[in-house]
Amino acid sequence: MATGNVKVKTGTRPPWVGLAAAVWVQMAAGNAYTFPLYSPALKSVLGYDQRQLAMLGVANDIGENFGVVAGVLCNSLPPWLVLLVGAAFCFVGFGTLWLAVSGTVIGMPYWLLWIALAIGTNSNAWFVTAVLVTNMRNFPLRRGVVAGLLKGYVGLSAALFTQIFSGVLHRSPTALLFLLAVGLPVVCLSTMYYVRPCTPALGAGGDEEDAMQDGHFAFAQAASVLLGTYLVGTTVLGSAVELSDATSYALFGVTVLLLLAPLAIPVKMTLFRKKKRPAMEPPAAASSAEPPASAEEEPLLIPSDAPPPPADDDSEKLDVLLAEGEGAVVKRKRRPRRGEDFEFAEALVKADFWLLWVGYFIGVGTGVTVLNNLAQIGAAAGIADTTVLLSLFGLGNFLGRLGGGAISEKFVRSTLLAPRPIWMSLTQTVLAVVYLCLAYALAPGVVHASAAVIGVCYGAQFAVMIPTTSELFGLKNFGLFYNLMSVANPLAAVLFSEELMGRLYDGEAARQRRHGGGGHPHACLGAECFRVAFVVLAGCCALGTAVSLVLAARIRPVYRALYAGGSFRLPNSSQQH
């Protein structure tokens, strides 16, 4: 899609070049996952307690997920400009944190660090909006796969940053913050030219074209799985044995090569060009529907084979127009139906919107609470090296996002026509069980396994929510609706992480100090530190399961209309609610 005066690239290769560039942007967009790596430095160097640290975690989540402004502007600004804003936020926010932690500026007030962290992680909202909206529109018939793949790389970035932190940066929080402030903007500035709207061939090649596209996506998914496995393997290796600097740099070099793997798709398409078929006259039904003249009308979203309205509808519209001319009738715009393009106010009054928001709020909110407190959970269980927990969470997060997108895509196209929220309910049921296990069996082995499982279920929430939002409310204002859904993340962090887990942790730490506990004045050890919090999170996930099931039952007809016959078809004006 083109916005304003943005030039739209045509052909089959440019979308894949943009997807390969988006991989690097998405890895940079995972900088919010680095909070557990430098949060101990904030606590020790600046002398914060757990509640103050939890509130910084809230700033981390608010910044990452407050993308409403980016969502509104993505329809009027070119993607490169959206990325440029994100790069500036990243430099200013993380640069301020680096000044405080490195001691370059002493006595920086807490409120200023809170704002700086929110600004730094808000770069993620601009990064993700630019690449996700652009690629969803460049591949409108593979929404679930694209969403799962791109959001999967964001989840995988936690393992990438852990590898860099443990190996290349020698576990230095100040070096990590400097990398976030300077290195990530450089990466985004280097790739932003290639993230651009394209007009791919939508089914022009028939089954052969579809099979080739499926093969390309399968390759990209396999490359991402290989990268995720490699990152976790190197992290575990680095925690088990002491690696030399040369070995650490060599391992990181392989990581860079694996990140370049998606570029093999456009390179292959360049070297082995597909022979063009002779031009054929389009069918009469298709040629009768002219594409819109303005790019603002979302040409990728309007079906070329939409049937003309019945004759009686034409005569009825003519009568209404004549009556309007005489002042007898006030023109009323028909409200959109599910699957069509909604405006902001039209979506907010739909029960489906709020059911999806509440289900996502619970699923992603409980997961981010564990993420923000992962280092403290590991320490309470007696785990010395908590960086492995972040790596396991990152791998699970990646697999959940990648698998959630691909599996939900497969089932909505199957004869079952299973609505995507079914998978939200399933993963939240698993979360409830895992939280109960952590509440009553906080042992190192349980924590390691739970970190990976929670990561999978947490990642699946993103991969399911994104295509579901586009299927219910259209792609025209998808950037705005996606970011409205994302607001659930920081709100849940305030409720679950700061008010629930932070308060209970500090209360138990104070109780242990009164009874003669030693160590750090704000440290807490044992299962009692998080027991009540995990029981509450389990109850919330039980509620989230019920909400997601209600939503799935309500929108089953939408999937029947969109995916009947095993293939996606864009809705037309005759489709019923």
Side-chain angles (χ1 to χ4, degrees):
M1 172 191 146
T3 54
N5 59 352
V6 182
K7 184 178 179 182
V8 177
K9 296 286 287 183
T10 60
T12 57
R13 282 175 296 150
W16 293 101
V17 175
L19 188 68
V23 166
W24 286 78
V25 177
Q26 292 293 81
M27 297 300 278
N31 58 59
Y33 292 121
T34 62
F35 183 72
L37 297 178
Y38 61 81
S39 62
L42 293 174
K43 194 171 184 178
S44 59
V45 174
L46 304 178
Y48 295 150
D49 61 24
Q50 187 63 23
R51 280 201 68 196
Q52 289 175 308
L53 196 65
M55 275 305 297
L56 286 176
V58 171
N60 187 76
D61 297 321
I62 289 177
E64 179 188 11
N65 295 281
F66 185 74
V68 175
V69 177
V72 172
L73 294 180
C74 72
N75 278 348
S76 56
L77 299 180
W80 69 265
L81 188 53
V82 177
L83 289 173
L84 184 62
V85 174
F89 281 14
C90 193
F91 175 76
V92 172
F94 288 109
T96 304
L97 288 176
W98 176 81
L99 292 174
V101 174
S102 65
T104 305
V105 176
I106 300 175
M108 195 173 292
Y110 178 83
W111 64 266
L112 181 59
L113 288 178
W114 196 97
I115 293 175
L117 181 55
I119 291 174
T121 56
N122 190 239
S123 62
N124 297 342
W126 296 83
F127 293 156
V128 172
T129 298
V131 300
L132 186 60
V133 172
T134 301
N135 281 278
M136 289 279 282
R137 289 170 173 171
N138 288 348
F139 298 97
L141 306 187
R142 295 292 187 277
R143 303 184 194 187
V145 178
V146 170
L149 182 65
L150 290 182
K151 294 298 288 185
Y153 272 105
V154 176
L156 195 58
S157 63
L160 171 66
F161 285 118
T162 302
Q163 183 199 53
I164 296 174
F165 177 74
S166 301
V168 179
L169 302 181
H170 306 293
R171 299 179 180 269
S172 169
T174 55
L176 176 62
L177 288 170
F178 186 81
L179 172 68
L180 299 178
V182 177
L184 299 192
V186 169
V187 169
C188 292
L189 293 176
S190 302
T191 58
M192 67 183 187
Y193 172 79
Y194 302 100
V195 180
R196 57 172 58 191
C198 304
T199 306
L202 297 180
D207 294 339
E208 183 180 352
E209 182 74 25
D210 289 342
M212 183 178 70
Q213 193 171 82
D214 288 340
H216 290 162
F217 276 116
F219 172 80
Q221 290 169 331
S224 63
V225 171
L226 179 61
L227 173 62
T229 305
Y230 175 78
L231 285 173
V232 173
T234 55
T235 302
V236 173
L237 178 64
S239 65
V241 298
E242 187 72 23
L243 300 177
S244 65
D245 289 347
T247 303
S248 297
Y249 295 143
L251 293 175
F252 180 67
V254 176
T255 300
V256 173
L257 292 177
L258 291 174
L259 283 170
L260 291 171
L263 272 176
I265 298 172
V267 169
K268 173 249 183 185
M269 299 175 76
T270 301
L271 297 178
F272 303 96
R273 293 179 179 272
K274 183 182 177 182
K275 294 183 179 180
K276 295 184 178 180
R277 296 181 178 180
M280 298 179 64
E281 191 70 23
S287 61
S288 62
E290 294 294 330
S294 170
E296 295 292 332
E297 298 181 53
E298 296 288 339
L300 296 182
L301 311 182
I302 300 177
S304 61
D305 57 348
D312 56 342
D313 286 352
D314 289 338
S315 61
E316 182 181 348
K317 290 178 182 177
L318 179 60
D319 292 340
V320 171
L321 289 174
L322 291 174
E324 287 175 357
E326 297 172 0
V329 176
V330 178
K331 183 178 180 182
R332 295 180 183 273
K333 180 183 177 183
R334 179 181 68 82
R335 289 184 298 177
R337 301 183 178 97
R338 293 161 169 161
E340 298 178 344
D341 290 324
F342 279 70
E343 298 297 333
F344 172 72
E346 294 169 337
L348 289 186
V349 297
K350 301 296 291 183
D352 296 336
F353 180 91
W354 292 108
L355 287 171
L356 180 59
W357 192 92
V358 170
Y360 179 71
F361 170 85
I362 294 174
V364 81
T366 59
V368 79
T369 298
V370 173
L371 176 62
N372 288 345
N373 295 274
L374 200 55
Q376 289 71 37
I377 293 172
I383 298 174
D385 185 4
T386 58
T387 58
V388 176
L389 293 178
L390 180 60
S391 185
L392 289 172
F393 186 96
L395 177 62
N397 189 9
F398 160 70
L399 293 176
R401 296 180 186 215
L402 185 68
I407 293 173
S408 67
E409 187 83 4
K410 178 179 177 59
F411 276 86
V412 296
R413 294 176 182 273
S414 70
T415 55
L416 296 176
L417 297 173
R420 295 187 199 268
I422 287 288
W423 301 101
M424 291 181 71
S425 65
L426 177 62
T427 52
Q428 290 188 33
T429 301
V430 175
L431 282 175
V433 174
V434 173
Y435 292 148
L436 290 176
C437 290
L438 287 172
Y440 294 101
L442 194 70
V446 174
V447 173
H448 280 97
S450 297
V453 175
I454 293 172
V456 171
C457 298
Y458 172 76
Q461 311 302 310
F462 293 91
V464 171
M465 178 275 290
I466 292 171
T468 302
T469 301
S470 72
E471 288 160 342
L472 291 179
F473 307 111
L475 280 172
K476 180 181 178 182
N477 293 304
F478 167 72
L480 174 59
F481 294 136
Y482 161 71
N483 283 296
L484 285 174
M485 289 288 171
S486 297
V487 171
N489 199 317
L491 291 180
V494 173
L495 177 63
F496 295 133
S497 184
E498 196 273 337
E499 290 298 326
L500 175 67
M501 194 163 280
R503 283 180 180 271
L504 294 175
Y505 181 95
D506 284 340
E508 178 61 25
R511 190 192 68 79
Q512 291 184 6
R513 287 198 305 275
R514 288 194 301 269
H515 288 78
H520 192 278
H522 300 299
C524 180
L525 300 176
E528 295 79 9
C529 302
F530 297 100
R531 176 166 295 158
V532 176
F534 279 130
V535 171
V536 173
L537 294 184
C540 291
C541 285
L543 175 62
T545 298
V547 170
S548 299
L549 287 175
V550 170
L551 175 62
R554 282 176 55 89
I555 64 176
R556 180 76 183 271
V558 180
Y559 287 89
R560 188 178 300 113
L562 292 180
Y563 295 96
S567 63
F568 181 91
R569 67 179 182 85
L570 296 170
N572 55 59
S573 58
S574 63
Q575 211 172 301
Q576 297 300 315
H577 227 309

